[in-house]
Amino acid sequence: MTGAFTRDRAETLTLSTVLGRGGMILVAALLVSGLAGALGDGRPVPAVAAPVRTGSSDPRVERLQAELATARGALEVERLKNRRADAVQAFSAQYRIPADLAGDVYDHAVTEGIDPALAFRLVKVESNFRPNARSRANAIGYTQLRLATARHYEPWVTERDLRTPDVNLRIGFRFLRDLLRQYGGDENIALLAYNRGPARVNEYLDSGSDPDNG
């Protein structure tokens, strides 16, 4: 009887030790992920870490590790959902646009890997958030894309497609992302190239002139 009681107590202590260790790991992971993310920073979503391996083959320990990993993943998803909701609400209020439009701009910016704050500024300047905006140069929609530019990314796209918010935002932000890479992350030059065309901006840069004149 004493031996059985000792084994049960040992098993309980083992599971308690693992649970305590797993809980500390979970809390540490949440603290790190919380510190790493700022509102609207546009950085890629961090992957959920794999379960911690202790080297034990005990199925109870492995089950506990799996449960901890699932809980950590669920908490991370909730954190990101809340972060998105806060950002969308803030941008909606700042630019006085519907929340669904703010959500579309935010989601496409994050998907294409650019700072959502920069994406909102671009749409504000280019179209003032008017989906049917059209310039004298036949630039179309929220991000004021020309058909030729859009077809560099999606050759089958049509003018009608560019009046669709999802298509327009997706391609426009992809174009801006490529310009940011081309100009070493210089937002000012990238935005000038977006508005004036990279060929013209490159001419100014190659000649030593200021591409921002006028």
Side-chain angles (χ1 to χ4, degrees):
M1 184 69 175
T2 302
F5 174 81
T6 303
R7 286 195 301 273
D8 291 341
R9 177 176 176 81
E11 291 174 357
T12 301
L13 288 175
T14 300
L15 287 175
S16 298
T17 301
V18 173
L19 180 57
R21 182 182 304 165
M24 292 176 63
I25 293 171
L26 177 57
V27 171
L30 291 174
L31 286 174
V32 171
S33 63
L35 291 172
L39 180 61
D41 61 6
R43 286 178 291 183
V45 175
V48 176
V52 177
R53 298 295 181 183
T54 63
S56 173
S57 59
D58 190 327
R60 292 168 298 183
V61 175
E62 293 181 352
R63 182 171 63 251
L64 179 59
Q65 290 173 339
E67 291 173 356
L68 287 172
T70 299
R72 182 169 50 190
L75 287 171
E76 176 67 10
V77 169
E78 287 302 313
R79 186 186 73 82
L80 292 173
K81 286 169 61 177
N82 291 336
R83 174 181 165 189
R84 177 191 181 276
D86 290 343
V88 168
Q89 182 178 5
F91 284 123
S92 176
Q94 179 181 350
Y95 290 100
R96 298 181 180 180
I97 58 176
D100 57 348
L101 174 56
D104 287 342
V105 175
Y106 181 89
D107 291 342
H108 282 290
V110 171
T111 298
E112 297 305 329
I114 64 174
D115 182 355
L118 178 62
F120 277 91
R121 293 200 300 270
L122 174 75
V123 178
K124 172 65 176 178
V125 169
E126 292 292 336
S127 67
N128 198 25
F129 297 97
R130 292 180 293 119
N132 297 319
R134 191 181 190 110
S135 73
R136 288 176 294 178
N138 289 322
I140 300 169
Y142 286 126
T143 62
Q144 289 293 276
L145 276 173
R146 297 185 191 181
L147 186 59
T149 301
R151 284 180 172 170
H152 175 75
Y153 293 91
E154 298 182 9
W156 56 86
V157 76
T158 66
E159 287 192 8
R160 181 177 180 179
D161 294 329
L162 291 182
R163 291 193 291 272
T164 303
D166 283 340
V167 175
N168 193 283
L169 293 170
R170 179 178 70 245
I171 300 177
F173 293 162
R174 194 168 299 173
F175 180 37
L176 178 59
R177 179 197 64 195
D178 288 350
L179 291 173
L180 286 167
R181 290 175 177 174
Q182 179 178 340
Y183 296 107
D186 189 320
E187 291 184 2
N188 183 56
I189 299 297
L191 290 171
L192 284 172
Y194 188 100
N195 185 265
R196 293 181 155 192
R200 180 175 298 179
V201 168
N202 289 340
E203 288 179 3
Y204 281 105
L205 293 175
D206 291 342
S207 65
S209 303
D210 181 7
D212 198 16
N213 61 351

